[in-house]
């Protein structure tokens, strides 16, 4: 099976397949199927796939994107949570040896090793899937998101959209905004616009202790509008009470601590983290941030 010749061929494939399976697309499961073949070709071209690539696709649906990659890559893993769609994909590719269909919730199943992830994501799992992807090693991801969600990757410190996601994305990847996609490119059309984003995993590490830093960012950004010193002082006060630690753990005012958390850039957060770790002592510091994010 080659990729789609036209959008009308793709659209009629989607309608016929849904009718055959008796499936009424579920909004709750993010079942909006892409019916514009140019967009699928664009995504595949952006991924620059080769026969060395192992592809992960999250939310395979009816295989409209799968079909345009499977013959040109070493291996493909497709995760699909809807049993009927997973069975449909299984039947469609029963005689294709380089594809594995995984029935399950992509948030919960273990990801296989892969080089590239190309997916039109079900939008309700955008956040956990993005954090999960960022914890994995891969080269490139070409992902479709709800537009407002994708914009958070590019948010500047101090802006309304700046969040833990913006920080962690910036720490672990280089992101490029590729395209805005109209709702009419899907069947059924969602109520929102979508965006295609490329996420290239960084190979260099900006901070030695990434796991500790990630916990620190989680701790701070759960109070992102507050002043750094007040949040950290509270945390330390609680800790001091628990273990009767001497009061020299007081957070002194400095160039970071009087700022609101959401105004700190990635570099500033890294500096702040390293300063605190040195001042408080590595073991106690890791203990404090672990306890406050569990
Ligand atoms: N790949 C198809 C396309 O491009 O048109 C379908 C994409 S559709 C936006 C999202 C797909 O993800 C649906 O097939 C839906 O059943 C599936 N899905 C929803 N929640 C999921 C989850 N937690 N894990 C895996 N797949 C999920």
């Amino acid at each position: 099976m080659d990729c789609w010749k036209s959008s009308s061929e793709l659209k009629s494939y989607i309608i016929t397949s849904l009718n055959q399976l008796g499936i009424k697309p579920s909004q709750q499961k993010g079942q909006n199927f892409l019916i514009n073949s140019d967009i699928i070709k664009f995504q595949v071209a952006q991924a620059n796939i080769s026969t060395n690539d192992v592809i992960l696709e999250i939310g395979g649906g009816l295989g409209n994107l799968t079909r345009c990659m499977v013959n040109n890559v070493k291996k493909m893993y497709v995760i699909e949570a809807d049993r009927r769609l997973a069975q449909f994909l299984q039947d469609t590719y029963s005689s294709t040896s380089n594809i594995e269909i995984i029935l399950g919730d992509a948030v919960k199943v273990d990801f296989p090793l892969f080089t590239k992830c190309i997916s039109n994501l079900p939008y309700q799992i955008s956040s956990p899937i993005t954090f999960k992807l960022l914890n994995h090693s891969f080269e490139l991801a070409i992902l479709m998101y709800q537009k407002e969600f994708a914009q958070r990757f590019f948010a500047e410190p101090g802006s309304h959209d700046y969040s833990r996601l913006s920080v962690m994305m910036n720490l672990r990847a280089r992101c490029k905004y590729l395209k805005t996609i109209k709702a009419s490119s899907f069947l059924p059309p969602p109520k929102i616009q979508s965006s295609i984003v490329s996420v290239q995993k960084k190979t260099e590490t900006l901070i030695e202790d990434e796991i500790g830093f990630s916990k620190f960012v989680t701790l701070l950004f759960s109070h992102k509008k507050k002043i750094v010193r007040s949040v950290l002082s509270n945390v330390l006060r609680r800790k001091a009470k628990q273990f009767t630690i001497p009061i020299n753990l007081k957070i002194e005012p400095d160039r970071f601590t009087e700022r609101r958390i959401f105004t700190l850039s990635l570099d500033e957060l890294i500096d702040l983290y390293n300063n605190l770790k040195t001042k408080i002592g590595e073991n106690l510091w890791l203990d404090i941030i672990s306890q406050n994010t569990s």
Side-chain angles (χ1 to χ4, degrees):
M1 278 186 287
D2 289 327
C3 197
W4 309 102
K5 289 190 190 71
S6 64
S7 293
S8 56
E9 185 196 15
L10 169 56
K11 185 175 174 183
S12 77
Y13 166 82
I14 296 288
I15 294 172
T16 311
S17 307
L18 287 173
N19 285 341
Q20 259 172 19
L21 295 168
I23 291 180
K24 196 172 170 292
S26 149
Q27 198 182 341
Q28 226 181 356
K29 292 185 188 147
Q31 289 175 339
N32 304 96
F33 301 95
L34 201 46
I35 50 167
N36 183 326
S37 59
D38 291 338
I39 296 171
I40 291 188
K41 286 177 190 159
F42 173 81
Q43 291 179 289
V44 175
Q46 288 295 325
N48 196 20
I49 53 176
S50 81
T51 47
N52 292 323
D53 277 319
V54 177
I55 306 294
L56 172 68
E57 185 186 353
I58 296 164
L62 292 159
N64 37 348
L65 180 57
T66 321
R67 168 173 166 158
C68 300
M69 297 189 276
V70 66
N71 295 330
N72 306 313
V73 297
K74 186 169 164 189
K75 172 99 191 173
M76 230 185 131
Y77 295 96
V78 183
I79 306 177
E80 173 54 60
D82 186 317
R83 187 172 293 279
R84 301 160 302 174
L85 293 173
Q87 187 59 53
F88 176 83
L89 291 169
Q90 198 72 61
D91 295 344
T92 307
Y93 292 107
S94 57
S95 53
T96 307
S97 59
N98 68 334
I99 190 165
E100 200 174 307
I101 312 298
I102 301 165
L103 168 65
D105 176 351
V107 176
K108 294 188 185 140
V109 298
D110 285 339
F111 283 170
L113 289 177
F114 61 97
T115 57
K116 293 176 181 168
C117 175
I118 297 116
S119 304
N120 294 326
L121 294 170
Y123 296 151
Q124 71 281 7
I125 60 167
S126 294
S127 183
I129 280 295
T130 305
F131 284 113
K132 186 168 174 178
L133 280 171
L134 288 177
N135 283 332
H136 273 257
S137 148
F138 65 91
E139 273 172 47
L140 181 71
I142 303 294
L143 302 169
M144 177 96 71
Y145 288 102
Q146 177 172 351
K147 188 175 180 187
E148 285 71 22
F149 186 85
Q151 283 169 334
R152 288 165 52 192
F153 301 165
F154 307 95
E156 295 291 335
S159 68
H160 176 263
D161 282 347
Y162 189 64
S163 63
R164 177 167 81 99
L165 182 69
S166 327
V167 175
M168 295 312 291
M169 187 53 100
N170 198 359
L171 176 74
R172 296 207 167 124
R174 278 181 195 83
C175 254
K176 233 191 320 181
Y177 190 92
L178 297 179
K179 231 185 201 336
T180 302
I181 307 295
K182 287 191 287 198
S184 58
S185 301
F186 299 88
L187 188 105
K191 291 193 176 75
I192 39 92
Q193 283 192 316
S194 302
S195 300
I196 302 175
V197 171
S198 106
V199 177
Q200 190 189 358
K201 202 73 197 297
K202 283 183 182 166
T203 46
E204 71 277 19
T205 34
L206 302 181
I207 182 161
E208 211 180 288
D209 170 21
E210 269 203 26
I211 296 175
F213 179 72
S214 152
K215 287 179 177 166
F216 177 62
V217 173
T218 304
L219 163 68
L220 286 187
F221 276 81
S222 50
H223 313 275
K224 75 173 200 174
K225 294 267 172 67
K226 293 196 176 149
I227 304 286
V228 173
R229 189 151 63 99
S230 111
V231 171
L232 290 177
S233 298
N234 274 338
V235 167
L236 291 181
R237 211 173 298 128
R238 274 205 305 272
K239 188 73 191 173
K241 233 191 209 161
Q242 200 181 340
F243 287 114
T244 51
I245 290 166
I247 205 66
N248 63 2
L249 293 183
K250 232 175 104 190
I251 302 285
E252 301 298 342
D254 71 12
R255 68 194 174 104
F256 301 129
T257 54
E258 301 314 295
R259 306 249 305 269
R260 292 199 188 271
I261 288 161
F262 79 112
T263 68
L264 293 173
S265 69
L266 173 62
D267 288 345
E268 290 172 329
L269 286 161
I270 291 176
D271 278 356
L272 175 63
Y273 179 80
N274 287 332
N275 290 349
L276 289 164
K277 193 165 143 184
T278 311
K279 194 173 158 216
I280 292 173
E282 183 163 349
N283 287 345
L284 179 56
W285 174 236
L286 292 178
D287 186 27
I288 289 167
I289 50 177
S290 297
Q291 287 207 355
N292 277 281
T293 51
S294 56

